[in-house]
Amino acid sequence: MTLHILFESPFAGRALEECRRVASAGDALLLAGDGVYALAGTAADALQALRADGVALFALAEDCAARGVESAAVPGLGTIDYGGFIELTLAHERSVSWF
Amino acid sequence: MSAQRTRSVLVVCRNAPYGRSRARDAIDLAMAFAAFEQPVTLLFLGEGVFTLAGGQQPPAGIRHLGKLLGTLADYGVGQVFADVTALAERGLAVRALALAAEPANDDTLRELFATHDRVITV
Amino acid sequence: MIFALLVHDAPVGRHSSQAAYRFASELLAGGHTLFRVFFFGDGVHNSTRLNLTPGNETDLPQRWSRLAAELGVDLVSCVGSALRRGIVDEAQARQHALEAANLRDGFELSGLGQLVEASIRCDRLVVFGG
């Protein structure tokens, strides 16, 4: 199982789209930095689709807060701190960073 | 500390060749891992497939990445894959590529990402 | 668990070096082992000692250097990336007759073999970019 870490806004590039194509059920996706803009507007639909495919969703709370992004926009998404980020890397065999 | 001596590495190139230095960096990383006898797979994903395009003619002073690709096998980078969805979207035919990369559909991509010990995106 | 980090981007103008630093310090605070942080490409700008940061902003090169001094973290900047970008240590400055060296204390310049070694020795490799 893989932890995907998205650092890029889905409105700026295609990292989230490519992540979706390679992710498997049981993987997790962490939104970090501008990646938290995946919670905004139409991008949230892509997150819902990932969740429906069995990918667990997380976002770094401080990056949401910094950008004024509402993490409750996507149900089932967990907000975490850096300690939680480390726990996620421990719980998955590998991580893949998208930026 | 682990006594393991090798880890399989998937290097993922997601950038076109000449606008930024990242495509070159991805190739350098793949060659370095291979030089130290690590099993390396190099994947050109999304925009990265432009790095495989034939007919590249960079000016003097810029490293010719099309030619550099031809030396991958000498360094021991045996496995090179290209994202077929991205190739089709960009009008690139597999037979016209600068390097005979293996076409990878989404099933193959999922497998590549799920089976390597390390994934290094560049 | 043993970790290694790969840092791709510059500390100023991009977010990911800050994220890498936060991740590294949290790891060490949590008692994990950080085998090495490898700085590649623009990431080598984290290893300059000639940056000046306004007092209310985080000076990442200084923070990394402090991690190395206080907790013995191994910080390696890719020598090929560094020399192209004007990051040089004393030995390189002497060898190439450059007028100054600017590699910050706690960092060393070395080849990609150091990243390969980190990949072999660690349990988790986490990449920071963007």
Side-chain angles (χ1 to χ4, degrees):
Chain A
M1 289 191 307
T2 302
L3 170 66
H4 299 269
I5 309 164
L6 179 72
F7 289 101
E8 181 191 74
S9 165
F11 301 100
R14 299 175 74 171
L16 176 59
E17 191 184 320
E18 284 163 26
C19 171
R20 263 182 84 182
R21 286 171 52 216
V22 309
S24 302
D27 286 358
L29 170 65
L30 170 63
L31 309 176
D34 285 350
V36 303
Y37 288 125
L39 292 164
T42 53
D45 300 343
L47 292 185
Q48 301 280 20
L50 269 164
R51 186 164 171 250
D53 289 341
V55 175
L57 303 176
F58 301 90
L60 275 176
E62 67 176 51
D63 290 335
C64 291
R67 290 161 181 76
V69 168
E70 187 51 67
S71 59
V74 174
L77 175 125
T79 53
I80 59 173
D81 59 11
Y82 273 86
F85 184 176
I86 290 165
E87 291 305 315
L88 282 177
T89 60
L90 290 169
H92 294 82
E93 299 165 74
R94 69 186 70 73
S95 63
V96 180
S97 295
W98 300 91
F99 49 88
Chain B
M1 186 146 308
S2 168
Q4 197 171 334
R5 302 294 298 273
T6 64
R7 307 276 192 180
S8 59
V9 182
L10 176 67
V11 177
V12 184
C13 172
R14 296 187 55 246
N15 284 271
Y18 299 107
R20 311 183 59 170
S21 58
R22 289 218 199 270
R24 163 80 190 274
D25 290 346
I27 295 168
D28 284 348
L29 281 178
M31 286 176 168
F33 276 89
F36 288 92
E37 289 166 350
Q38 303 298 297
V40 184
T41 304
L42 178 58
L43 166 67
F44 292 89
L45 183 72
E47 193 76 343
V49 298
F50 276 131
T51 305
L52 292 166
Q56 298 175 29
Q57 292 180 305
I62 305 285
R63 189 75 190 265
H64 193 308
L65 294 194
K67 281 186 187 162
L68 187 62
L69 291 171
T71 67
L72 280 169
D74 303 335
Y75 280 85
V77 182
Q79 296 251 83
V80 182
F81 288 88
D83 170 3
V84 285
T85 308
L87 288 172
E89 191 182 22
R90 289 163 180 78
L92 295 172
V94 173
R95 64 180 185 287
L97 299 180
L99 175 76
E102 277 182 62
N105 60 21
D106 286 3
D107 287 340
T108 306
L109 292 177
R110 268 192 295 277
E111 194 185 326
L112 288 174
F113 277 81
T115 52
H116 286 76
D117 294 327
R118 312 273 180 245
V119 180
I120 300 183
T121 43
V122 182
Chain C
M1 283 265 191
I2 303 170
F3 282 79
L5 309 185
L6 169 60
V7 178
H8 274 301
D9 279 302
V12 177
R14 315 282 308 197
H15 166 86
S16 59
S17 291
Q18 174 80 23
Y21 173 77
R22 292 288 307 282
F23 190 91
S25 18
E26 192 73 28
L27 266 182
L28 296 163
H32 299 284
T33 303
L34 180 53
F35 179 77
R36 178 170 293 148
V37 184
F38 191 86
F39 299 87
F40 184 59
D42 283 345
V44 302
H45 290 298
N46 281 280
S47 57
T48 180
R49 69 167 183 240
L50 293 182
N51 66 306
L52 293 170
T53 306
N56 57 350
E57 293 175 19
T58 305
D59 186 333
L60 278 177
Q62 184 194 70
R63 294 283 184 100
W64 285 119
S65 185
R66 209 181 288 159
L67 270 194
E70 292 170 2
L71 299 164
V73 177
D74 191 28
L75 307 175
V76 178
S77 279
C78 172
V79 64
S81 304
L83 296 187
R84 283 187 181 90
R85 289 167 175 81
I87 306 285
V88 290
D89 60 8
E90 300 288 347
Q92 295 283 351
R94 228 176 295 119
Q95 186 184 337
H96 300 284
L98 300 174
E99 58 197 62
N102 61 346
L103 186 75
R104 195 175 273 267
D105 285 349
F107 288 84
E108 80 177 284
L109 295 186
S110 194
L112 284 168
Q114 302 288 315
L115 174 62
V116 178
E117 186 195 16
S119 165
I120 295 169
R121 300 279 287 277
C122 73
D123 299 301
R124 295 289 185 273
L125 174 68
V126 186
V127 178
F128 289 87

